[in-house]
Amino acid sequence: MKFTSRHSATRHTAAVFGVALAAAALTGCTETAAGGDDAAAAGACEPSDVTLVGQVRNESNPYEASWLDGGDAFAEQVGLTQERLTYDGDSTRQQEQISQLLAGDTECLVMNILPNGDSDTPPIVEGAEGAGAYLVTQWNKPADLNVTDYDSWLSHITYNGVESGKQIGDALAEAIGGSGGIIALQGILDTGAAKDRFAGLEESLAANPDVELLDDQTANFSRAEALEVTKTLLTKHGDDVKGIWAANDDMALGALEALQQAGRTDVAVVGIDAVPDALTAIEDGTMTATVSSDGPWQGGIGLAIGYCVATGELAVEDIASDDRAWYAEQFLIEQDNVADFAAPETDEADFACDNLFSRSQGAIS
C-alpha cells in the first residue's frame, strides 16, 4: 500500500519479482503429499507450478474482500492467479475446504489463511504440516501454539489489538469530551482480535475514568447483527449513550445505521479495519476514527512469504524467529488524515523476497 501520511512506514528499496524468479534453476513439483516436507525444506518449485490460495470468512465484509483483492494483485505480479475461498464464518466449512486442498497436489501449494477462531488454527497447521503445504496464517491462533515448532507453517501475522482497541477508545473519549456513557460491540469472542481489542478498550477506560461503559455485547463482527444489537442497547440506555466503540468497521457501520433510524446525530462511533464506507463516514464527520491493518497488503504478503519459500528465494531456516510470529504495522485514521487512505494500492516492493518483513513491529510475545 502506498501511504503518504505521517503515519506511513519507512519503505525499503527492493527489487520487484520478475524474470530472476522465473529463470531460477529450480526443480519442478510432483503430486505427492508424502514429498511435501522435502519440498518445504528445499524450495523445489518452479514459479509456474505454485498454487496460490487465499481464504477469508466472506467477501461481504469489505475488509476481507480487500484482502483477497490484494492476493490477486500479488498473484498477477508473479504471473499466477489466486484461488479465492470463503467459508461464511463456518468453522466446519473452513476445515472442509482446507482438507480438500490438502488432499490434492500440495507440494507447491501456498495458503494464506484467516482462521475463523483461535481453536480452528491447530488442525489447519497440522494438516499443512502433514501435507507439506506452505502456510501463512493471520489474526487467530492459540497463544501456546508456536510457529517455530513447524516447518510448513512459515509465519503468523497479527496486529496489536490491545493498541488498536485503546487507540479508538481514546479517540472516542476525546470525541465525547472526556466524559459520558458508551456502549461496546464486541467481535467473535473466540478470536484473539476480539479479546485484545476489548482489552484495549478497558485500558482506555482506565485512562479516561469519566467515560462509563454502559453495556457491551457481541455482534460477531457483523453489520447486520450490530444493527440489531445497537437498536436494543439504544432502547435500553437511551440518551445516556454518547459513544459507540465497535471492534470492527462492519459493526460500526451497523451502529451508524441504527443511529440514523433512531434519529440520533449526537453519538460518536469508532471502529477498526478502514473499509471504504467507514472512511467515507469519517470524511463526512458521521464516524470518528478507525484503524487500518491494510487488507490488500495482508492478502499479498501471506502469499508472497509462501511463494518466496516455495521457489527457493527464501529458506525457512533463514526466517528470523521474530518473523515467524509477528505484529505488523497499523495506522490510526481520523478526519485529518483520512484522505491519505482513501485509495489504497498494493506496492510491488512490499512483496519482494528481501522485503517481506519490513512492516514488522516486533515478535508476538
Side-chain angles (χ1 to χ4, degrees), residues 138-216:
Q138 301 198 41
W139 285 117
N140 303 316
K141 81 170 186 66
D144 60 354
L145 189 66
N146 299 314
V147 183
T148 52
D149 290 340
Y150 298 85
D151 295 319
S152 292
W153 189 16
L154 306 177
S155 197
H156 178 78
I157 306 168
T158 193
Y159 296 80
N160 191 329
V162 176
E163 176 184 303
S164 57
K166 185 177 188 302
Q167 283 178 317
I168 61 170
D170 289 347
L172 184 62
E174 182 178 355
I176 65 174
S179 65
I182 66 169
I183 57 176
L185 303 175
Q186 293 210 55
I188 297 172
L189 298 181
D190 180 34
T191 64
K195 296 170 188 174
D196 289 347
R197 291 172 185 181
F198 190 73
L201 171 60
E202 292 177 320
E203 286 193 7
S204 177
L205 291 169
N208 295 279
D210 292 330
V211 176
E212 179 187 0
L213 180 61
L214 301 172
D215 218 325
D216 71 274

Side-chain angles (χ1 to χ4, degrees), residues 16-18 52 68-82 300 303 307 346 348 351:
V16 177
F17 291 108
L52 302 175
L68 293 181
D69 290 344
D72 286 344
F74 169 75
E76 182 178 359
Q77 179 180 322
V78 295
L80 298 172
T81 57
Q82 172 194 220
L303 296 180
Y307 179 88
T346 57
E348 289 188 354
F351 305 140

